Amino acid sequence: MVLLSDPVSLSVVRERFRRWLANLCWPSRDVDDIVMAVNEAVSNAVEQTHPSAIGAEVRVAARQFAERDGGRRVLVAVAAGEYWSPEPDGFEGPGLLMIHTCMDAVEVSREVDGTTMLMTSARVPPLGFVWP
């Protein structure tokens, strides 16, 4: 997804992720964690867009992957321009702490032209698994 760096984009990303996860038959108890983490990352990127960056974009990509035992995870990347800095040196705000709580792994990489946050969800059972 390529979204304008605008607060309106937040509702779009939440709705699309909920629909996508429903199509993957993702367990409903885990959907909110992923949606909240993605929403917070996109929100952070939008808030830190430089005022002169008219037409700035936030890019979101995601995919499901299966582990060897059939367990499933979602990998989500949120990328934005040079002004986004989700982890200022030595500081973790409440939004970033929430992302870390909602996801199993979070990595941030900074390049000259922007920042990317890579988030990996908690493991969920294979499709067709029935809880005992």
Side-chain angles (χ1 to χ4, degrees):
M1 257 182 275
V2 178
L3 307 159
L4 283 177
S5 189
D6 184 292
V8 173
S9 296
L10 297 172
S11 63
V12 172
V13 78
R14 287 190 307 266
E15 185 274 326
R16 286 186 184 173
F17 262 83
R18 283 194 187 285
R19 187 173 356 124
W20 180 63
L21 291 166
N23 288 338
L24 294 176
C25 300
W26 212 258
S28 58
R29 67 187 187 338
D30 295 295
V31 168
D32 285 339
D33 282 349
I34 296 169
V35 171
M36 285 190 331
V38 172
N39 182 74
E40 182 59 31
V42 172
S43 175
N44 191 282
V46 167
E47 287 174 8
Q48 291 187 23
T49 299
H50 195 273
S52 67
I54 297 171
E57 298 172 339
V58 177
R59 294 169 306 285
V60 182
R63 71 176 183 91
Q64 170 189 236
F65 68 94
E67 296 178 329
R68 289 181 184 212
D69 65 357
R72 301 178 297 147
R73 293 182 187 263
V74 168
L75 184 65
V76 182
V78 176
E82 61 186 301
Y83 297 102
W84 184 35
S85 181
E87 288 182 325
D89 294 332
F91 176 78
E92 281 196 0
L96 192 55
L97 289 173
M98 192 229 359
I99 292 171
H100 280 281
T101 300
C102 291
M103 302 298 267
D104 232 21
V106 179
E107 298 174 34
V108 176
S109 63
R110 290 181 186 84
E111 303 296 328
V112 174
D113 60 345
T115 299
T116 300
M117 180 181 288
L118 191 62
M119 301 173 283
T120 305
S121 74
R123 181 187 178 281
V124 299
L127 277 175
F129 178 84
V130 178
W131 288 102

